[in-house]
Amino acid sequence: MDITTIDSATEATPNSVDSDVDDAAEAPAEASPAPLKLAVIMGSNREGRFGPVVSDWFVSRAAGRTDFTVELIDLADTDLPTALSFKPAAPVRDQLAKITHRLAEADAFVVVTPEYNHSYPASLKTLIDWHFAEWQAKPVGFVSYGGVSGGLRAVEHLRQVFGELHAVAVRDTVSFHNAGALFDDEGRHLNPDRPHAAATSMLDQLAWWGLALRDAKSVRAYAG
């Protein structure tokens, strides 16, 4: 009796396992989420700027991923005035038409900024201040460049500003200290391993926050 009982149990166990395996094999694979729309903002419009070298380097890193579609927004292509208005004149509306919808459609942002006098460029502050809802409940990452500080003082100021606008600044950044000496004449980084790792870490965080916030907003509008 005992032996028969044990044999029955051992015979039932493989059948149960096989059934579970078959059920798992028949379950449909979970669909991958749609890629996040990442807007990379080149914050400097200064004559002789180094921004295109850094921006192009970063865009090439981000474009190699499947979880983002990447668009570069160059502030040298816009001419927004520093005098804000609730009823902007037609020329200002024309400038806003070039950029506002692109910010609104983005799921996440990366700001590429130099450091001017311990802070970030006026062109970048102007862009930020002309918009509000476009930034809300979206993640923001930072790529900075400069001299000894690598632009990090500009990033610290930007974190405060974007926090006020209900955006989520991710923790990790990419920074280039003494940036002009780090790239060759073709815009290639001379020692790419560490900055590539930093960019990957930041983009991973942006992807996590971007998906989480996009999913949350699809269920309930942000309360800001």
Side-chain angles (χ1 to χ4, degrees), residues 77-198:
D77 296 334
T78 63
D79 188 21
L80 291 172
T82 56
L84 305 179
S85 172
F86 289 108
K87 296 180 179 180
V92 180
R93 293 198 301 272
D94 290 342
Q95 293 299 315
L96 290 169
K98 298 178 182 178
I99 198 166
T100 299
H101 69 97
R102 299 164 72 187
L103 300 179
E105 292 167 0
D107 297 305
F109 304 100
V110 168
V111 176
V112 180
T113 182
E115 181 177 316
Y116 296 165
N117 300 321
H118 281 228
S119 193
Y120 54 92
S123 54
L124 186 51
K125 188 63 163 70
T126 300
L127 172 76
I128 293 170
D129 288 349
W130 269 107
H131 299 90
F132 182 71
E134 291 79 7
W135 309 115
Q136 285 190 326
K138 297 178 183 179
V140 184
F142 303 101
V143 176
S144 64
Y145 59 96
V148 174
S149 72
L152 291 175
R153 290 173 291 204
V155 171
E156 290 308 305
H157 289 183
L158 284 166
R159 289 185 182 279
Q160 299 176 64
V161 173
F162 278 108
E164 178 65 18
L165 295 169
H166 299 244
V168 178
V170 301
R171 190 268 182 193
D172 287 4
T173 64
V174 182
S175 62
F176 295 103
H177 303 256
N178 299 314
L182 300 179
F183 294 83
D184 66 18
D185 293 340
E186 301 298 323
R188 294 185 295 257
H189 198 282
L190 299 175
N191 296 289
D193 290 348
R194 291 184 66 182
H196 178 75

Side-chain angles (χ1 to χ4, degrees), residues 44-52 116:
S44 173
N45 62 358
R46 188 175 188 171
E47 183 178 353
R49 59 190 179 153
F50 195 69
Y116 296 165

